[in-house]
Amino acid sequence: MHASISLPVSPARQAEAARNARDARNDRVFGWVLKACALLVLASLIGAAASTLWGGSDAFRTFGWGFLTSDAWDPGNDRFGALVPVMGTVVTALIALLIAVPISFGIALFLTEIAPSWLRGPVSSAIELLAGIPSIIYGMWGLFIFAPFVAEHIKPWLMNTFSDAPPDGQISWLVQHVPWIAKFFSSDYPFFGAGVLTAGMVLAIMIIPFISSVMREVFQTVPTRLKESAYALGSSTWEVVWDIVLPYTRSAVIGGVFLGLGRALGETMAVAFVLGNTFKFTPSILETGSSIASTIANQFGEAEGLQKSALMALAFLLFVVTFIVLLIARLMLRQLGNREGR
Amino acid sequence: MLTSSKLRIATIVAASLFGMAAQATDITGAGSSFVYPVLSKWSATYAEKTGNKLNYQSVGSGAGVAQIKEGTIDFGASDAPMKAEDLQQFGLGQFPVVVGGIVPVVNIKGIEAGQLKLDGETLADIYLGKITNWNDPKIVALNAGLTIPSFKITVVHRSDGSGTSFNFTNYLSKVSNEWATKVKFGTAVEWPAGVGGKGNEGVSQYVRQIPGSIGYVEYAYATKNKITYAQLKNASGAWVQPNAKSFAAAAATADWKSSKDFNLIMTNAPGAEAWPITATTWVIMYKKAKNASHAKVAFDFFKWSLENGQEQAASLDYVALPDTLVKQIEGYWSAEFKN
């Protein structure tokens, strides 16, 4: 075998090699740190889901699948079910989306396409400020101002038009001819403003800033030449928006909508004040109800034993609901991607 | 332990450096939100006098009891008394500190504060959803001379778990068999009727907003928000108005003497002038203190509060405990707590 020969290496080379080694090591350490940051998120998510599942295991064991389909919430006799809170959570969030998405779209459109440039700055900052208002403020506003307004102006009109027990006593043509519509607009408390619809409306106001600022950001990324070309071909503003801007930004817009939906699903204090907090199953949007987060906020402080476990189980179900919603969002995006042939 | 002795030396050095006469101790407590206002008022004055501060978290009775069981705080405060077995098991003792009243509040056109009369059974029937209109014969019969309109009753209750609900439902289960068997009592129950407001504030707002509604709140909320409250018929059959006098009467006539560890819920008290939904809050402490110096300050604080805090309690619409009860509590301290 050869005897090893040590080649003469210049000191400059040596220094360079040392620096390279040091850089490589630093890169590796940096990579680990970044990985740890990302894993921390994953770990806290899994930890939170697992600990709520663990805390709720008593309730799941006791009630089995019946926990999902029961509308009971009876701490006195230890009977609990998640049906009403889960439905309240989903329905209020959907109402919020139905109101917030078109309005946010309009805001974003106005700010990026139509508004004079001196107006864009102030309105954008105002929207971002709205996003920073704590939810308890929306809750107090909902309780003191908005709920009475709904009771006085919105609810009577809705009940006169859509319910079979209208305050003015005249059952409308619509109700007489569409059999099931009255079910969605009945109310045990016609003079009471709080309820599912009111909560949905307050939530809508809370999530508009989120959805509209995402939309505004992504609308600005549309290349000017695309829009200019469309205008040059004689498109109206609406046609440019609908056929150029929206298709270009579709996935980001849907992402923004689901960001708002996520917030609406988990919102606690505002909903607790304007939802009425009852556990009666009803399809009506004018009736009172409960949501998962508001039930937990209401009862956790004083809960013991099986009730505490049922609240933990509810928290776990909120994870499940949010997960399903995100899954749907992913699937929708993939579907859209396929259709575009990307 | 080395670190704690080091700490102690450090504090002594610091104390001598700053020339403090006595070393100030901060005691910690947690639990009932019902006593929070009066505790913070008492502790502010007490801190001025002695330099000892009280750090109280009003996280709810359930959480307060859980924390004292774990020994993370010097005292817990609960709106519901702990059971004798639990006290025994954890080596805890409990005593009441202050009295307050819970009042039914209504929103009926043309009816002023203190005019409407209700008895326990009627109140229970309203909350059970069996009486649904204000001109029900049972209500009319109780209110001869008062014109009550025909109007649908909307029941308002607390949506959050609370000592207020605990005492209110406890009263209803004492006066109505149906309530006692069907709904039972607790910090939260399955309400047979009505809507839920969050906190005293939520209930008083709902009652103000809904015509024909009835709710229940702590007395202070009814007077501050100027909501119409009702009279109640008490256990001795007399009509009483809610006020400091009738709350004090309930505290004085309740049978504290024969209740072990003060385990007595005051609702439906027997006295002729007693307000039937009167509540108290219990302070819970270890009989053998985990931190003797803290426990000593805590006892000193409660002794001072029970003996000198009446006026401050009254200014917040609470009622101080009657003298005989204070004597009994002080006897309980020296008999049960080892320091």
Side-chain angles (χ1 to χ4, degrees):
Chain A
M1 286 317 206
H2 299 282
S4 63
I5 308 157
S6 62
L7 289 165
V9 181
S10 73
R13 272 284 168 81
Q14 237 168 358
E16 194 187 319
R19 203 177 63 219
N20 283 346
R22 202 175 57 232
D23 281 357
R25 197 182 59 235
N26 286 351
D27 268 357
R28 262 203 311 280
V29 171
F30 186 57
W32 289 335
V33 170
L34 293 188
K35 203 182 276 176
C37 291
L39 284 181
L40 188 68
V41 176
L42 208 62
S44 45
L45 179 73
I46 293 172
S51 58
T52 51
L53 182 61
W54 175 250
S57 59
D58 256 2
F60 284 127
R61 246 200 316 274
T62 313
F63 304 110
W65 290 105
F67 186 66
L68 297 179
T69 53
S70 156
D71 66 347
W73 194 270
D74 185 353
N77 299 307
D78 267 345
R79 293 184 309 121
F80 301 99
L83 180 65
V84 178
V86 168
M87 207 186 79
T89 304
V90 174
V91 173
T92 49
L94 283 183
I95 292 174
L97 271 197
L98 279 181
I99 300 169
V101 169
I103 294 180
S104 308
F105 182 65
I107 293 174
L109 210 71
F110 177 75
L111 287 180
T112 52
E113 300 295 325
I114 296 163
S117 51
W118 59 265
L119 195 62
R120 292 181 190 187
V123 176
S124 310
S125 330
I127 291 170
E128 271 146 31
L129 273 179
L130 265 186
I133 295 178
S135 64
I136 182 78
I137 306 289
Y138 285 103
M140 297 317 270
W141 172 77
L143 174 65
F144 285 102
I145 296 161
F146 191 60
F149 176 81
V150 170
E152 241 171 80
H153 302 287
I154 299 176
K155 200 165 174 180
W157 180 81
L158 281 174
M159 287 190 74
N160 282 336
T161 321
F162 298 113
S163 93
D164 52 7
D168 67 358
Q170 294 171 337
I171 294 175
S172 68
W173 181 90
L174 199 68
V175 176
Q176 283 170 354
H177 292 81
V178 188
W180 37 262
I181 196 164
K183 276 209 176 81
F184 296 98
F185 292 93
S186 67
S187 176
D188 278 353
Y189 314 105
F191 309 106
F192 187 39
V196 174
L197 179 68
T198 313
M201 287 159 110
V202 172
L203 280 179
I205 296 167
M206 294 179 69
I207 64 175
I208 279 174
F210 289 86
I211 302 182
S212 63
S213 43
V214 171
M215 282 184 175
R216 187 180 60 90
E217 291 294 329
V218 299
F219 285 177
Q220 280 170 346
T221 65
V222 179
T224 318
R225 61 190 153 83
L226 285 185
K227 290 190 280 184
E228 297 288 314
S229 316
Y231 280 123
L233 290 172
S235 303
S236 65
T237 310
W238 174 251
E239 282 166 343
V240 169
V241 167
W242 195 248
D243 295 327
I244 309 292
V245 174
L246 256 194
Y248 192 87
T249 57
R250 187 146 48 195
S251 58
V253 164
I254 291 178
V257 169
F258 278 88
L259 183 75
L261 181 59
R263 183 169 159 114
L265 285 172
E267 180 43 49
T268 310
M269 289 320 279
V271 175
F273 279 101
V274 291
L275 195 46
N277 303 302
T278 53
F279 288 93
K280 207 177 78 180
F281 180 80
T282 159
S284 169
I285 59 166
L286 295 182
E287 208 63 277
T288 51
S290 345
S291 79
I292 294 178
S294 72
T295 304
I296 296 172
N298 271 324
Q299 304 201 345
F300 197 76
E302 300 284 342
E304 278 180 325
L306 198 57
Q307 188 189 359
K308 196 164 203 162
S309 177
L311 291 172
M312 286 290 204
L314 272 188
F316 180 73
L317 287 182
L318 186 58
F319 271 109
V320 174
V321 170
T322 316
F323 181 74
I324 291 175
V325 164
L326 289 180
L327 202 69
I328 294 172
R330 276 292 149 91
L331 289 178
M332 268 171 80
L333 284 179
R334 184 171 299 172
Q335 201 81 34
L336 287 173
N338 286 346
R339 215 185 300 158
E340 282 160 11
R342 276 186 203 157
Chain B
M1 288 224 293
L2 187 70
T3 44
S4 70
S5 62
K6 259 188 190 164
L7 262 179
R8 204 163 300 153
I9 293 168
T11 9
I12 292 167
V13 170
S16 53
L17 272 180
F18 293 108
M20 277 155 67
Q23 190 186 333
T25 312
D26 287 2
I27 51 172
T28 54
S32 156
S33 51
F34 179 73
V35 286
Y36 176 62
V38 69
L39 270 188
S40 48
K41 196 151 194 175
W42 281 342
S43 69
T45 319
Y46 183 73
E48 266 172 35
K49 278 187 168 11
T50 61
N52 295 326
K53 286 198 189 107
L54 169 70
N55 178 2
Y56 184 78
Q57 264 104 39
S58 68
V59 286
S61 302
V65 170
Q67 284 191 32
I68 188 73
K69 277 181 183 169
E70 279 169 20
T72 52
I73 47 177
D74 299 318
F75 71 89
S78 170
D79 297 330
M82 274 178 81
K83 282 191 224 116
E85 308 90 270
D86 290 348
L87 289 173
Q88 186 99 40
Q89 189 194 338
F90 291 92
L92 294 164
Q94 69 185 2
F95 50 90
V97 283
V98 75
V99 169
I102 294 155
V103 298
V105 288
V106 296
N107 177 352
I108 313 169
K109 215 173 176 189
I111 289 183
E112 314 249 316
Q115 283 186 334
L116 186 75
K117 291 178 174 173
L118 294 171
D119 61 7
E121 202 188 323
T122 315
L123 192 62
D125 281 352
I126 292 174
Y127 268 83
L128 280 166
K130 285 164 73 184
I131 295 180
T132 55
N133 197 305
W134 283 112
N135 70 355
D136 189 278
K138 274 189 179 166
I139 300 177
V140 173
L142 293 173
N143 290 282
L146 201 64
T147 27
I148 298 175
S150 163
F151 206 92
K152 187 173 170 272
I153 299 178
T154 300
V155 168
V156 181
H157 54 75
R158 287 282 289 268
S159 65
D160 47 337
S162 75
T164 314
S165 291
F166 176 86
N167 285 290
F168 186 74
T169 52
N170 178 272
Y171 171 65
L172 293 186
S173 56
K174 277 180 183 166
V175 293
S176 156
N177 276 329
E178 193 177 345
W179 189 278
T181 52
K182 256 175 69 182
V183 188
K184 302 188 176 135
F185 67 92
T187 54
V189 296
E190 184 175 47
W191 297 95
V195 297
K198 187 162 163 43
N200 280 300
E201 193 55 51
V203 169
S204 37
Q205 272 308 313
Y206 281 8
V207 169
R208 287 171 73 163
Q209 287 171 20
I210 312 171
S213 60
I214 180 166
Y216 59 92
V217 292
E218 281 165 27
Y219 177 62
Y221 279 84
T223 50
K224 262 187 226 148
N225 292 318
K226 303 206 167 37
I227 318 178
T228 309
Y229 52 81
Q231 294 182 45
L232 283 176
K233 191 189 237 175
N234 66 15
S236 69
W239 291 106
V240 277
Q241 296 276 2
N243 52 40
K245 214 175 113 216
S246 60
F247 302 154
T253 58
D255 187 15
W256 295 106
K257 283 266 165 351
S258 52
S259 61
K260 191 180 177 323
D261 291 317
F262 302 95
N263 191 341
L264 166 79
I265 300 166
M266 262 195 294
T267 56
N268 214 22
E273 290 181 0
W275 178 251
I277 325 178
T278 307
T280 186
T281 299
W282 287 262
V283 162
I284 304 162
M285 289 176 72
Y286 280 98
K287 291 192 172 172
K288 198 169 175 305
K290 303 218 156 166
N291 184 330
S293 62
H294 281 208
K296 195 162 167 267
V297 174
F299 279 120
D300 188 53
F301 167 70
F302 287 117
K303 187 174 161 57
W304 176 86
S305 304
L306 292 180
E307 288 173 358
N308 307 297
Q310 293 92 339
E311 237 172 76
Q312 288 176 320
S315 72
L316 294 169
D317 286 317
Y318 293 87
V319 176
L321 302 183
D323 288 344
T324 49
L325 185 54
V326 173
K327 286 266 150 18
Q328 195 188 337
I329 291 170
E330 287 174 353
Y332 177 77
W333 286 348
S334 48
E336 300 280 341
F337 289 86
K338 288 166 190 71
N339 248 317

